Structure formats: structure tokens, C-alpha cells
Amino acid sequence: MIAIHRYAGPLVAAALFVASGAYAAEVAGVKLDDSQRVASGELLLNGAGLRSKLFIKLYVAALYLPQKTSAAAAVLDAPGPRRMQLRLLRDIGAETLHGALEDGLANNNTAVELDAIKAQSEQFGTLMKGLGKVKEGDSVTLDFGAEALVVSLNGEVRGKVAGAAFGKALLKVWLGEKPADAALKKALLGN
């Protein structure tokens, strides 16, 4: 029989954790990295949650930031990089996904704000429709920077929308006063 030192248990557990990859969370079976690299550095998982509608699981959203915060205003007003990653839990047509995002924009921005970003909103709509049907397991990544929003599908950049004002308006879909899902907003803010 092999003798195991009384301190070996925690050491073995720590070694297995490191060997298996560091995941900060798991939501609806989706494992989320504790950090992600972007061009300007490393972003930390701030929070993650499930977006569902009428008991149908749509996607897991994860918010990555340079430093953690529970204040929506701090995320919206930050000039630095931010990432919203959506892991699809079912097939969703690009038109449906775009329509939901447009509804979220309309619910969380004033008419004046929407008018100011009309051209970017139309460009974003074209970009999202160009994704085609996103399938279960696909990952849509929205990287918010000081100058542009970068949209990627499964790690492949699909396009950019210039302007920080549009990025802030789009983040309000999840973090605004009338978010698409209040429980998801809370989860993204680490609450």
C-alpha cells in the first residue's frame, strides 16, 4: 500500500487544477476562462450568466475587463478594452440575433443617442446579418475598444464598427437600465 502524506491531498488537487486548465466559472455546462488575452493585454472574467427567454436557453454571456467591477457605469464609461463573449446554446438565425440586439439598443438609449449612432448601428446590422446562422457551440465575441468594436465568430474577426459611442450603446443591451435580462446583468457584474 502506498503511504500518502497528510499534505499531499491539497497538493494533488492543486496540481490537477493547474493541469486541467484554469477555469473561473462554469455556466450551463460552458466552461469560462478566468482571463483572456486581447491585443492590449489581459482581461479578467468579471462575471458570466445565462440568457434565456421563455425557459429556452439562448446563450452564456461572459464579460471580461482589465479589472473587476460591480458598477455598470464603470464598465460603460471605461475607455479601455472590454470583451463580451456569447457562447450559443442553440442555433440562432443572424436576423433573430440582430433583431434582439436592436431591441436592446432601442430600450436602453434615448432617441438622440440612437440618432447619433445610426450609421454605426446600420453597419453593425450588416455585419451581424453577414454572420449567417450561428450554431449551438459557436462563440460570438464583441471586443470594445476606445476607437472601435470588433466582432468575431469562433475567433475569426468578421468586421469592425468605428466609434466608442456605439460600443457604449451596445453594452447597454446587457448593462443598461432596461437590460435584456436583469439576472444576466447582475451575473455579468459579479453579483
Side-chain angles (χ1 to χ4, degrees):
M1 179 168 202
I2 300 173
I4 298 178
H5 193 274
R6 66 181 176 149
Y7 298 111
L11 292 174
V12 170
L16 289 173
F17 177 76
V18 170
S20 66
Y23 293 109
E26 183 173 330
V27 177
V30 176
K31 292 180 181 174
L32 302 164
D33 295 324
D34 59 354
S35 64
Q36 293 194 0
R37 299 272 314 151
V38 295
S40 58
E42 185 174 59
L43 298 177
L44 305 173
L45 179 64
N46 194 69
L50 175 65
R51 171 70 171 116
S52 59
K53 190 171 184 178
L54 301 173
F55 306 106
I56 298 171
K57 295 177 182 178
L58 301 175
Y59 59 81
V60 170
L63 177 63
Y64 290 87
L65 303 172
Q67 54 198 33
K68 293 184 178 194
T69 183
S70 61
V75 178
L76 296 172
D77 294 333
R82 293 147 296 166
R83 172 175 279 179
M84 181 68 73
Q85 188 169 43
L86 310 176
R87 177 69 63 87
L88 282 290
L89 298 177
R90 61 180 307 106
D91 294 357
I92 301 176
E95 290 281 342
T96 302
L97 183 58
H98 173 255
L101 293 172
E102 282 292 313
D103 289 346
L105 280 168
N107 290 337
N108 288 283
N109 293 279
T110 66
V112 171
E113 289 170 329
L114 291 172
D115 191 48
I117 60 165
K118 185 175 182 181
Q120 291 93 340
S121 185
E122 289 172 358
Q123 181 185 2
F124 179 71
T126 300
L127 209 161
M128 292 303 289
K129 291 173 188 172
L131 295 180
K133 185 176 191 175
V134 286
K135 299 184 182 340
E136 180 179 347
D138 282 351
S139 180
V140 176
T141 304
L142 305 170
D143 283 321
F144 300 85
E147 297 179 17
L149 165 73
V150 179
V151 179
S152 301
L153 178 62
N154 297 324
E156 178 188 333
V157 174
R158 300 299 290 267
K160 297 180 182 182
V161 179
F166 178 73
K168 179 177 181 176
L170 186 60
L171 271 171
K172 287 181 183 179
V173 169
W174 298 280
L175 302 176
E177 292 297 317
K178 298 176 186 172
D181 185 318
L184 177 57
K185 175 182 175 177
K186 197 172 181 182
L188 291 170
L189 293 172
N191 297 322

